[in-house]
Amino acid sequence: MTLRRGRRRARIGEAAIPYLFIAPAMVGLVVFKLYPIVAGLRMSFYDFQLISGRLHFIGLENYRVMLADPTFWHALRNTLVFNVIVTPLQVGAALGLALLVNRTIPRIEIFRSFYFIPAVLPLVVASVIWDLLYHPDNGVFNGILGTLGLPRQPFLVSAHQAMGAVIAMVTWKGAGYWMVILLAGLQNIPEQVYEAARIEGARGWTSFWRITLPLLSGALVFVTVADTAINFLLFAPVYVMTQGGPSESTTVLMFEVYRNAFVYLHMGYATAIATVLLAMTLVVVAVQMRVLPVEFEY
């Protein structure tokens, strides 16, 4: 009987070891992720003034005000437009770079490191650098245009060009990071598959469309979904480069959350916007994971 109890305790101990290893991560997930989400959702039903500390339950009033606020709808439109444009650009640029640096040429590691440099640069620092590059009078881009005999452009001070300027900067910043993941996917494709395809006469674009893309679909779906979720939460470039302007042309939902929380000090209203943004992000990601193809057969 004693021997049986000892074996049972040993089995229980072995079964508990994996849970002990993941326990710190689970505690961090609950404390730093799930609890703030639940607290934010609760706060969205209150009128909470940050300075005075006034906390008053108002039910769905914040959501009613939000739906009647034209600035919210403007920020929502900008957020959707930004994501529709920047996510395909980033994924396409990352795929092109991954295909480029996947070649077996001498010193290819140097090119891979060069393209990855923007990924290790802090987003705020990158935003400051591009803000200087876009300067209408002393910026490098206008200097290049002047050298080519082209007219200067206002970039960030134009309501028609500011969003495009932010999209260009964010695409440059993110493409190198996603390139590394897609490069790992490319190098995981067995060379024997390409050799068999060449024997069958498949080369160039045929090999890319019929072999590379299907076998890379898992990495592509991951990159697309993760990139979409990150882009919905864009804040630093807008804050540093445009402050949501000019004429609210670059105001996105995350910036609107910041402005209501820490400029207007309406924390309850800000958390209501954040809750809508979170729900919208989850819905879009769920749809992407449902419709994007991952499985393949040969």
Side-chain angles (χ1 to χ4, degrees), residues 164-217:
V166 173
I167 287 174
M169 176 268 164
V170 174
T171 302
W172 170 84
K173 178 71 175 63
Y177 178 78
W178 301 120
M179 174 201 72
V180 174
I181 298 175
L182 295 179
L183 179 62
L186 286 173
Q187 296 183 345
N188 200 37
I189 299 176
E191 183 60 27
Q192 294 86 343
V193 178
Y194 290 107
E195 292 177 359
R198 280 193 288 268
I199 293 174
E200 296 293 331
R203 287 182 173 80
W205 281 105
T206 304
S207 175
F208 175 75
W209 286 108
R210 303 297 293 273
I211 297 175
T212 303
L213 275 185
L215 293 179
L216 195 62
S217 60

Side-chain angles (χ1 to χ4, degrees), residues 11-284:
R11 285 197 296 270
I12 294 175
E14 291 177 359
I17 289 176
Y19 296 100
L20 291 177
F21 276 107
I22 66 173
M26 295 302 295
V27 171
L29 177 66
V30 171
V31 173
F32 297 109
K33 297 292 183 181
L34 297 181
Y35 174 73
I37 291 175
V38 174
L41 178 61
R42 174 178 173 273
M43 186 66 68
S44 69
F45 298 111
Y46 284 82
D47 176 20
F48 176 43
Q49 299 294 330
L50 187 60
I51 298 298
S52 64
R54 185 182 68 182
L55 185 64
H56 174 63
F57 181 77
I58 57 174
L60 297 174
E61 179 63 16
N62 281 327
Y63 293 94
R64 189 196 65 77
V65 172
M66 180 176 61
L67 294 177
D69 183 2
T71 304
F72 165 77
W73 290 108
H74 191 77
L76 175 62
R77 184 181 68 85
N78 284 345
T79 302
L80 293 175
V81 169
F82 175 82
N83 272 271
V84 167
I85 296 175
V86 79
T87 300
L89 278 179
Q90 279 188 327
V91 176
L95 178 59
L97 290 175
L99 292 170
L100 184 66
V101 300
N102 192 39
R103 299 171 180 270
T104 52
I105 59 177
R107 305 295 182 184
I108 190 63
E109 297 83 5
I110 298 176
F111 293 99
R112 291 173 182 170
S113 302
F114 176 77
Y115 293 125
F116 189 69
I117 287 176
V120 299
L121 202 63
L123 189 54
V124 173
V125 175
S127 301
V128 172
I129 293 174
W130 277 69
D131 188 35
L132 296 174
L133 295 177
Y134 279 132
H135 194 280
D137 297 323
N138 305 316
V140 172
F141 292 146
N142 268 326
I144 295 174
L145 291 176
T147 303
L148 298 175
L150 298 174
R152 291 177 175 271
Q153 299 298 319
F155 294 121
L156 297 177
V157 296
S158 166
H160 301 291
Q161 297 184 10
M163 179 60 84
V166 173
I167 287 174
M169 176 268 164
V170 174
T171 302
W172 170 84
K173 178 71 175 63
Y177 178 78
W178 301 120
M179 174 201 72
V180 174
I181 298 175
L182 295 179
L183 179 62
L186 286 173
Q187 296 183 345
N188 200 37
I189 299 176
E191 183 60 27
Q192 294 86 343
V193 178
Y194 290 107
E195 292 177 359
R198 280 193 288 268
I199 293 174
E200 296 293 331
R203 287 182 173 80
W205 281 105
T206 304
S207 175
F208 175 75
W209 286 108
R210 303 297 293 273
I211 297 175
T212 303
L213 275 185
L215 293 179
L216 195 62
S217 60
L220 277 171
V221 170
F222 169 77
V223 167
T224 302
V225 171
D227 193 31
T228 301
I230 291 174
N231 287 330
F232 266 111
L233 306 179
L234 178 82
F235 171 70
V238 172
Y239 177 77
V240 173
M241 299 168 68
T242 65
Q243 288 284 311
S247 303
E248 307 286 354
S249 60
T250 58
T251 297
V252 292
L253 285 178
M254 270 305 293
F255 184 77
E256 191 64 5
V257 171
Y258 155 78
R259 189 158 57 182
N260 279 281
F262 300 107
V263 178
Y264 307 145
L265 305 179
H266 296 157
M267 294 296 291
Y269 185 61
T271 54
I273 299 176
T275 301
V276 171
L277 176 59
L278 174 64
M280 185 172 63
T281 304
L282 292 176
V283 169
V284 172

